[in-house]
Amino acid sequence: MNLPNKLTVLRVIMIPFFVWFMLVPVFGDNSKWVAVAIFIIASLTDLLDGKIARKYNLVTDFGKFMDPLADKLLVCSAMICLVGLQKLPSWIVVVIIAREFIISGFRLIAVENGRVIAASYWGKFKTTFQMIMVILMIVDIPQLSLITTIIMYVALILTIISLVDYIVKNKDVMSGDM
């Protein structure tokens, strides 16, 4: 359990706290600021764990598997909260979560065949835009509503592109030709 993997686990541990502050207004309107702070810190651990793992050659199979899963848990939890708060259309979240289930299925089949598939650049761009979208939707600044909407659709498009890219690059996983 090296530092990058500990950061990934920390990100997963932060999710229930983030969700609680998103949905329970313990500090009134200020709860959203606590939630966004937790979300940003959790998101930064994603950036940090990858940089540390690559720089110090600490890349592990656990990290390759858990890092993208932790991202999915964080972002999907946030988006589900935003749907519940009526800040994000549910159909967009359904598309995004469907993509995540498909990719997770691919990863499970690959792992059963002794192969771990790391996140692609498209997947990283998708995650980055989804995280920015979540932050903008949580802070909900009316003057940024157009930018928030544009980023929401960019995140959706990147979600679809990353799915297609993933399937094309890993089609051998489904065919059994690994």
Side-chain angles (χ1 to χ4, degrees):
M1 187 57 73
N2 60 32
L3 179 58
N5 291 343
K6 287 178 182 175
L7 289 170
T8 297
V9 170
L10 176 63
R11 187 162 60 257
V12 173
I13 291 170
M14 294 173 84
I15 294 168
F17 297 99
F18 162 74
V19 169
W20 190 64
F21 282 104
M22 277 288 292
L23 300 178
V24 181
V26 287
F27 299 124
D29 289 340
N30 290 324
S31 289
K32 77 175 183 181
W33 296 107
V34 175
V36 83
I38 293 169
F39 186 84
I40 289 170
I41 291 166
S43 297
L44 290 174
T45 66
D46 178 39
L47 180 68
L48 195 57
D49 67 7
K51 286 189 183 289
I52 293 169
R54 287 184 295 279
K55 182 175 182 178
Y56 296 104
N57 197 26
L58 297 172
V59 176
T60 63
D61 284 347
F62 175 85
K64 287 180 189 175
F65 183 75
M66 268 312 289
D67 181 64
L69 184 58
D71 297 339
K72 290 174 189 181
L73 290 171
L74 176 63
V75 174
C76 289
S77 296
M79 289 189 295
I80 291 168
C81 289
L82 289 166
V83 168
L85 296 169
Q86 299 180 336
K87 293 184 178 188
L88 181 62
S90 58
W91 71 269
I92 289 177
V93 178
V94 169
V95 170
I96 290 171
I97 291 176
R99 181 255 185 218
E100 303 308 341
F101 274 106
I102 292 167
I103 298 303
S104 294
F106 260 78
R107 281 205 166 106
L108 286 173
I109 293 168
V111 165
E112 285 179 7
N113 290 295
R115 181 167 146 194
V116 176
I117 303 170
S120 72
Y121 286 106
W122 284 112
K124 291 176 184 182
F125 292 140
K126 172 226 26 131
T127 299
T128 300
F129 272 86
Q130 287 176 353
M131 288 177 172
I132 292 168
M133 173 193 75
V134 165
I135 291 166
L136 288 171
M137 288 184 170
I138 294 170
V139 297
D140 195 21
I141 298 171
Q143 295 84 353
L144 298 177
S145 64
L146 178 61
I147 292 169
T148 302
T149 299
I150 291 168
I151 288 180
M152 177 184 70
Y153 285 111
V154 169
L156 179 64
I157 291 165
L158 288 172
T159 298
I160 295 165
I161 290 170
S162 69
L163 172 64
V164 171
D165 176 67
Y166 198 94
I167 290 171
V168 168
K169 286 182 179 173
N170 298 291
K171 61 182 176 260
D172 60 318
V173 170
M174 292 306 287
S175 67
D177 297 334
M178 291 193 296

